[in-house]
Amino acid sequence: MSGAFFRVDKFVVPAAAREEFLVKVMMTHKLLEAQEGFIDHRVLEQVAGPGEFNFVTIAEWENTEVVERARATVAAAHKAANFDPQEMFARLGIRADIASYKPVAA
């Protein structure tokens, strides 16, 4: 898929897990920033409203092809750091909704 591409991840993070979660998210986003095709990212924390997800991360990429290369690089870095995101989610009681999005044409 060509054109702008977004990875939007939403998380339910228990209060006791907040600090560890954010350390790992920031570590991962530092890796993303260095990847070819990376445009921008945001880490958002809910401050009001009835929504279920209290954290949202949004990463913007040039296209899907660069995302696939970045995903492999991040997976290798996580493995080298002995970090398993799924294990952390299970251990800390974090639930995630992870998806990719494209802009809607007007």
Side-chain angles (χ1 to χ4, degrees), residues 6-100:
F6 295 83
R7 168 78 180 253
V8 179
D9 300 344
K10 299 172 278 193
F11 303 94
V12 175
V13 179
R18 182 182 183 276
E19 184 175 334
E20 183 175 348
F21 170 77
L22 285 174
V23 165
K24 297 301 187 184
V25 165
M26 297 308 182
M27 175 190 81
T28 299
H29 278 244
K30 274 289 190 211
L31 290 168
L32 296 177
E33 289 174 352
Q35 303 307 304
E36 176 188 347
F38 172 84
I39 296 173
D40 194 19
H41 69 91
R42 295 283 185 268
V43 178
L44 307 172
E45 184 173 13
Q46 181 183 20
V47 295
E52 173 185 12
F53 299 101
N54 56 336
F55 285 93
V56 176
T57 64
I58 302 169
E60 182 178 1
W61 298 89
E62 288 178 1
N63 55 55
T64 58
E65 293 79 19
V66 296
V67 172
E68 291 308 314
R69 288 192 299 270
R71 184 174 292 139
T73 300
V74 170
H78 282 174
K79 185 174 182 175
N82 200 29
F83 171 54
D84 179 352
Q86 297 309 314
E87 180 280 327
M88 182 186 77
F89 292 171
R91 178 172 47 81
L92 297 177
I94 296 170
R95 288 190 304 110
D97 176 30
I98 296 171
S100 299

